[in-house]
């Protein structure tokens, strides 16, 4: 099993930046896809960004041009650089790893709060 631990959340003013990190308990080199999801109060969890083992990425329309997902296969860490943050980005952000053979794994989440 893969254990994922997120960090880097916090309180920031609108227009500010944060970088989230997700440290994995094992090598992520061969993990098929990793991603960041978020869940705001009263809303469903939604995909923010994903990155495949080959390096291709996908982003939700709401974060395109502001967020960047990346993975460091040496440090076994997934990142999400968030710039130009908006109050509507406020949510708990979760890291996800999907392995072809054993399914999805989730972190415990990290709170991001953007004040107006």
């Amino acid at each position: 099993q893969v254990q994922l631990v997120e960090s880097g959340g916090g309180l920031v003013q609108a227009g500010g930046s944060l970088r989230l990190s997700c440290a994995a308990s094992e090598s992520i080199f061969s993990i098929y896809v990793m991603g960041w999801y978020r869940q705001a109060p009263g809303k469903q969890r939604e995909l923010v960004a994903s990155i495949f083992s080959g390096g291709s990425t996908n982003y939700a329309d709401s974060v395109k041009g502001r967020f960047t997902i990346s993975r460091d296969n040496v440090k076994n860490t997934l990142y999400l650089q968030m710039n130009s943050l908006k109050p509507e980005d406020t949510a708990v952000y979760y890291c996800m790893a999907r392995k072809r053979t054993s399914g999805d794994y989730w972190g415990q989440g990290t709170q991001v709060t953007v004040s107006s």
Side-chain angles (χ1 to χ4, degrees), residues 5-28:
V5 179
E6 301 99 333
S7 61
L11 174 63
V12 65
Q13 289 187 334
S17 298
L18 284 174
R19 188 176 80 156
L20 304 183
S21 300
C22 171
S25 61
E26 62 180 62
S27 173
I28 66 170

Side-chain angles (χ1 to χ4, degrees), residues 18-79:
L18 284 174
R19 188 176 80 156
L20 304 183
S21 300
C22 171
S25 61
E26 62 180 62
S27 173
I28 66 170
F29 179 77
S30 60
I31 290 181
Y32 173 57
V33 60
M34 299 189 74
W36 290 97
Y37 286 72
R38 67 186 181 187
Q39 187 167 19
K43 294 188 177 181
Q44 290 187 331
R45 190 173 297 189
E46 63 175 357
L47 175 66
V48 175
S50 60
I51 183 167
F52 289 79
S53 55
S56 60
T57 58
N58 289 307
Y59 294 92
D61 287 344
S62 59
V63 307
K64 282 181 180 177
R66 300 189 297 123
F67 291 9
T68 302
I69 190 171
S70 61
R71 56 195 288 172
D72 186 326
N73 292 338
V74 174
K75 295 182 177 180
N76 297 325
T77 302
L78 179 72
Y79 300 101

Side-chain angles (χ1 to χ4, degrees), residues 85-115:
L85 283 160
K86 304 175 181 180
E88 51 263 44
D89 295 318
T90 295
V92 178
Y93 283 70
Y94 297 91
C95 174
M96 183 281 294
R98 177 170 298 158
K99 301 181 75 172
R100 293 182 186 271
T101 57
S102 56
D104 294 352
Y105 299 87
W106 294 88
Q108 82 289 348
T110 185
Q111 177 70 46
V112 171
T113 302
V114 184
S115 64

